[in-house]
Amino acid sequence: GDRYDDDVRRMSVVLFLLGDGLVTIPGVLYSGSVAVLKLCDVRRILNVDYSTSLVLTVFVIGATGALYAILGGLKAVAVSDTINGIGLLIVGITVPLLGLALLGGDVISGIGIITTNHPEKLNAIGSASDPTPFGTVFTGMVFANLFYWCSNQYVIQRTLAARSFAEGQKGVLLSGYFKVLVPFFMMIPGVIAYHLYGPNLGSIDLAYPQLVKDTLPVWALGFFLAVLLGAVFSSFNSLINSAATMLTLDVIQPLTKATLSDKALVSIAKVCSVGIAVISLGIAPLLQYAPEGLWQIIRIFTGFYNIPIIAVVLVGMLTTHVPAVAVKLAIAFHIIAYGLLQFVFKDAVDLHFLHLYAILFAAEIGLLLLVGQWRPRQVRVIVQTAPVDMTPWR
């Protein structure tokens, strides 16, 4: 709002809300529900088909998580994240080790099997026909990750809520170290699952839950389920809290033309949380029909808003003359161009969506700078006062 104008703020918030409500929050609910279905055998207990059991599980998890977010707020999210993070680290280390032992009799033999049998599964440089071709690492993947980790309000709200600048820096760096463990936590279990079950498992979203069920002892499944549900609630709550915050502070409050009390804002945010949760509950079960798995469908639809947001943020940080009208043109251009290229003319264009990310990013940066040269914004001094200690961590 300070750098561009309130209309740009509202446009950005609407993009985030559409992405969170239609894709990300339903994705969190769906992934957690699939794991719970696999581990608890809900179909057999309730004697219903898979789709019905999925809908029921999504509803129970979503309703519980929504109450948690509405009543607990961001503090509840932060505290639960810390506790669940410890549990996820324990499970993340245990499952691949037990999976290797199940595959080969012991961990060392298991490593030998995955490195000698089907070694192509360990090759990160995939072909052009793979869901994520290796070349995309150098094009759209850069900007997708830059958006997610550096400008996605759902992620950075934890840093923005830090009690000081130094504490925020520590949290970001610690998260970075954990990110390095992702190949061991997520990719290796997938390779193990392929060796154990072959290509006939059904949905690829079932690979990890099946591996957990086969490796962890019965008494440990309860611990895993608690950690899993905790992680689902944590992500779900964070997204609900983030969406409700943006909708309340950046859309509803400015439109009221009045100064609302904190109590009134909290009440509005709770109503918004309920609405967002209900929409997400309706969409989540539909993700079972995603042809290339959950993660791929999330990334494809995130493309409607992640690239213009990171382009606008970077230009806003690095320049002072680009006006708000340029941002509005860039956002409108991206939504129309990405929609046409990805869904209408996909066969004719035949470009991976991550390559589209990079092309559109370059086009939007060019558009923003061009409009900035044509109709430069009047630079005004913005005096910012921080409510926390801004001394950096040495």
Side-chain angles (χ1 to χ4, degrees), residues 156-172:
I156 65 172
Q157 66 176 348
R158 296 161 170 79
T159 304
L160 297 176
R163 65 187 178 192
S164 69
F165 182 46
E167 290 299 307
Q169 289 178 304
K170 294 175 188 177
V172 168

Side-chain angles (χ1 to χ4, degrees), residues 183-241:
F184 179 73
F185 282 1
M186 298 178 67
M187 286 43 170
I188 294 300
V191 175
I192 296 169
Y194 177 83
H195 283 81
L196 287 172
Y197 315 121
N200 302 316
L201 187 62
S203 171
I204 60 174
D205 297 331
L206 297 174
Y208 195 85
Q210 183 65 54
L211 184 63
V212 168
K213 193 172 183 179
D214 291 344
T215 54
L216 291 184
V218 174
W219 59 266
L221 285 176
F223 173 76
F224 174 80
L225 192 60
V227 170
L228 171 72
L229 285 172
V232 172
F233 288 150
S234 171
S235 297
F236 180 66
N237 299 341
S238 298
L239 285 159
I240 291 285
N241 185 275

Side-chain angles (χ1 to χ4, degrees), residues 310-327:
I310 191 60
V312 167
V313 168
L314 286 174
V315 168
M317 291 174 61
L318 300 176
T319 72
T320 57
H321 66 281
V322 175
V325 66
V327 175

Side-chain angles (χ1 to χ4, degrees), residues 14 26 34 40 50 53 88 104 118 166 198 228 244 249 256 274 281 291 302 355 360-361 364 376 389:
V14 168
V34 167
C40 299
Y50 179 79
S53 60
L88 285 171
H118 300 289
L228 171 72
L249 296 182
T256 59
V274 172
L281 284 172
T302 302
H355 290 318
L360 291 175
F361 175 82
E364 284 144 32
D389 180 10

